[in-house]
Amino acid sequence: MARYADPGAVEWVESGGGPLIAIPEVVLPFWSGADGDDMSSDYDRACDVEGFIGLVPVGDTRALVLGDEPASTSYLPEHGTFVRWCAAESEDELLAGVPAALAAAEWEREVQWNVPGPVVLFDAAWPGTASARTDHLRVALAPGRYAVRAAYVEPGPETWVGLVQLRRLTS
């Protein structure tokens, strides 16, 4: 995991150039990454997602693909949001702009995601069983149904951020 500031700063996950994916821990062994036996690998399916977000089947559930560009990404639990570092002079500058970005966001269409528990964010090219050996971030989501929406925001002249917000639904 990359760190861009002093200890205590958030941890960032980076990819080798493709999309990042958040997979429920319980189905990690079912994700083959780029090592698929079929004509199309799991990684290919993740790459086929158009736009900022999409869902792909994994085992008996679905994983959240963070598409568009391979930006360094972290999860801010206080905002229930994956934050994607598109441009900023520093981590502090980027994180300071998150509240303004959330307030100004023009959200894309929302998707519904049923989550059986904690998820692991990592480069979609890796097999799920190897995710612990690469950049990854465990996100302790409570089981349930979530509304997921995404936006790209420029909260400052040189600060650009991608947002993927998760909102737990009660019914």
Side-chain angles (χ1 to χ4, degrees):
M1 250 168 277
R3 286 191 171 275
Y4 297 101
D6 294 329
V10 299
E11 296 179 6
W12 298 90
V13 174
E14 298 179 343
S15 87
L20 295 174
I21 191 161
I23 299 181
E25 278 183 330
V26 297
V27 294
L28 276 174
F30 298 106
W31 183 259
S32 64
D35 298 338
D37 294 333
D38 300 326
M39 297 295 285
S40 177
S41 69
D42 285 342
Y43 176 72
D44 292 330
R45 291 187 306 121
C47 289
D48 286 343
V49 167
E50 293 183 19
F52 296 124
I53 57 172
L55 298 171
V56 294
V58 181
D60 62 354
T61 188
R62 296 190 294 172
L64 177 66
V65 176
L66 305 184
D68 191 44
E69 64 178 70
S72 295
T73 302
S74 190
Y75 183 75
L76 303 181
E78 66 272 22
H79 298 292
T81 302
F82 287 103
V83 175
R84 312 202 69 204
W85 186 333
C86 299
E89 289 293 320
S90 69
E91 180 181 59
D92 289 339
E93 181 180 298
L94 180 84
L95 295 176
V98 169
L102 287 166
E106 293 182 22
W107 301 101
E108 301 273 317
R109 70 171 176 81
E110 205 170 78
V111 298
Q112 304 282 312
W113 186 28
N114 290 317
V115 178
V119 300
V120 179
L121 178 73
F122 62 99
D123 186 333
W126 285 87
T129 55
S131 63
R133 295 192 314 257
T134 185
D135 269 7
H136 71 283
L137 181 64
R138 184 178 187 271
V139 179
L141 296 179
R145 195 165 49 102
Y146 289 79
V148 183
R149 61 187 185 170
Y152 175 83
V153 185
E154 296 180 13
E158 295 187 25
T159 304
W160 309 334
V161 63
L163 304 170
V164 178
Q165 188 174 57
L166 284 64
R167 186 179 77 253
R168 187 149 187 231
L169 300 173
T170 55
S171 59

